[in-house]
Amino acid sequence: MLRLICGPMATLSHEAFRRAVERFGGCDEYFTEMINAPSLLNMGPFEKYYIMNGPCPEKIVWQLTGSRAEPLAAAAAVVAGLGGIGVDINMGCSAPQIYKTGAGIAWMTKPLPETREAVRGVKEALSAFPAMRLSVKCRLGDEDFTDEGFFAFTDMLVDEGVQLITLHPRTKKEKCHRLPRYGYVERLCGRYGGRVQVYLNGGVKDAASLQAACAAAPDADGVMIARAAAQKPWIFAELNASGRGGEAVEIDFQQLALDFIDDVVACQPPEFHKTRLQRFFSYYCDNFSFAHYFKSKMLNASGPDESRAQLLDYFARQPEDRYGRM
């Protein structure tokens, strides 16, 4: 059965967001936001918030980022001790502030032996935790990638014991307005013949796009959804319902947002409240009639109290936006 996975999103894939998704039945796996390996090992004042694993610890996949092999391995041992499904190495993030440090997709452009060393170190660190899966999330590579280079990279991952590859089939600079090259997901499935799992990532936002992605990569083991889940935390329930003919469920958009604000306050330090709320509402407000106006109010709110006030004001002015059905 196709698995549905909530993807890693910086400043968003935290416990408060998982609570919102779980209120609609949740998904099969939750990847955490990127956890910086050296920062985790130093255990600064905010690192404990990155390793909160509620409300469903058994569904957690810990995603690590870093530019050097040794901290990645050491951090893998730390998060593996917290339980969950497994540890994921981010080798696909194309944000300049990440790859310019040597992390994220930079691992796909380094000499293959150097990247192999990093993967091997994490695999060895997980040998003490045999139930923990090792996975890598990647892209196709830089703009000048070749099939030969891409598959040499994924062959190395498989040879080093990676059990799951999540592929976002775009290059480093390709933006989300371009349709992902799902054919590469299917080619990975065929190349490894079930030796590893392969998840598809990118472009899935509703039942129609899920169907199109699955038609292009029918052998994928799972589909990872990120931005669409930020806009619609109920998307996994919506996709499950579309597949099994389930009944529509009414959504109280105001209450969902108020609950999210409360959960951010409960699960994040005060220093993070504003940015975490801004990140969520930059997507969530797109559901409504006056999205630009609503979004500007929420993004300019100074913190949780003003965010609540702006929410209540918007729905008082636009009561027809408060309820919907999925």
Side-chain angles (χ1 to χ4, degrees):
M1 181 178 293
L2 187 72
R3 297 177 69 78
L4 295 176
I5 301 96
C6 191
M9 294 173 282
T11 72
L12 188 51
S13 297
H14 46 67
E15 181 168 335
F17 180 66
R18 293 192 293 270
R19 289 185 185 186
V21 176
E22 277 293 307
R23 288 190 176 95
F24 296 96
C27 59
D28 295 303
E29 300 179 15
Y30 291 98
F31 278 52
T32 66
E33 61 182 313
M34 292 185 295
I35 300 171
N36 183 276
S39 297
L40 178 67
L41 297 174
N42 290 332
M43 267 299 170
F46 301 123
E47 299 312 307
K48 64 182 179 181
Y49 297 100
Y50 286 91
I51 56 175
M52 293 178 69
N53 61 358
C56 37
E58 72 282 0
K59 295 182 182 181
I60 292 292
V61 179
W62 305 101
Q63 189 181 77
L64 298 176
T65 185
S67 59
R68 296 188 301 111
E70 295 82 359
L72 281 172
V78 172
V79 294
L82 303 175
I85 293 173
V87 174
D88 184 77
I89 309 173
N90 185 307
M91 294 188 168
C93 181
S94 61
Q97 66 268 30
I98 300 297
Y99 74 74
K100 286 182 179 180
T101 68
I105 200 171
W107 285 107
M108 298 189 74
T109 62
K110 294 178 183 182
L112 203 58
E114 182 178 348
T115 305
R116 182 187 296 274
E117 179 187 359
V119 176
R120 182 174 293 175
V122 174
K123 184 66 175 178
E124 290 175 353
L126 294 182
S127 63
F129 307 90
M132 296 295 285
R133 182 186 71 195
L134 173 59
S135 61
V136 167
K137 187 173 186 292
C138 61
R139 286 187 173 227
L140 295 173
D142 214 333
E143 305 314 293
D144 60 351
F145 90 98
T146 63
D147 284 12
E148 180 182 8
F150 171 70
F151 288 113
F153 175 82
T154 60
D155 285 348
M156 177 275 293
L157 298 180
V158 175
D159 290 344
E160 292 301 326
V162 170
Q163 297 154 284
L164 161 70
I165 298 172
T166 300
L167 178 62
H168 184 150
R170 293 185 173 104
T171 63
K172 182 176 76 173
K173 293 184 179 179
E174 283 178 340
K175 303 301 181 183
C176 292
H177 59 263
R178 174 170 181 163
L179 189 67
R181 306 184 205 188
Y182 294 131
Y184 279 94
V185 176
E186 187 63 15
R187 290 174 69 181
L188 285 181
C189 296
R191 188 177 185 88
Y192 302 120
R195 291 163 55 198
V196 298
Q197 291 183 304
V198 180
Y199 287 172
L200 176 155
N201 174 227
V204 175
K205 57 185 178 181
D206 52 27
S209 55
L210 175 63
Q211 184 177 11
C214 290
D219 294 313
D221 297 285
V223 172
M224 177 180 284
I225 301 171
R227 296 185 184 195
Q231 181 182 350
K232 304 188 297 182
W234 57 88
I235 191 171
F236 301 105
E238 181 180 289
L239 295 177
N240 280 322
S242 69
R244 65 172 187 268
E247 294 183 1
V249 175
E250 190 170 78
I251 303 168
D252 183 337
F253 293 110
Q254 174 180 286
Q255 192 59 52
L256 189 162
L258 289 171
D259 289 342
F260 178 78
I261 294 171
D262 289 345
D263 288 336
V264 165
V265 172
C267 300
Q268 298 282 284
E271 294 87 344
F272 287 6
H273 289 172
K274 182 176 180 179
T275 56
R276 273 46 177 174
L277 293 174
Q278 288 175 325
R279 177 75 158 152
F280 175 74
F281 286 110
S282 68
Y283 294 106
Y284 186 71
C285 290
D286 286 336
N287 291 301
F288 306 109
S289 300
F290 297 91
H292 180 75
Y293 166 81
F294 192 15
K295 186 181 298 187
S296 67
K297 291 293 186 181
M298 297 306 294
L299 297 189
N300 287 308
S302 60
D305 290 340
E306 188 176 350
S307 294
R308 292 188 190 96
Q310 293 292 355
L311 269 169
L312 295 173
D313 178 71
Y314 178 82
F315 288 109
R317 294 170 181 266
Q318 301 296 326
E320 66 275 12
D321 273 2
R322 177 167 176 179
Y323 299 99
R325 298 175 72 82
M326 68 172 189

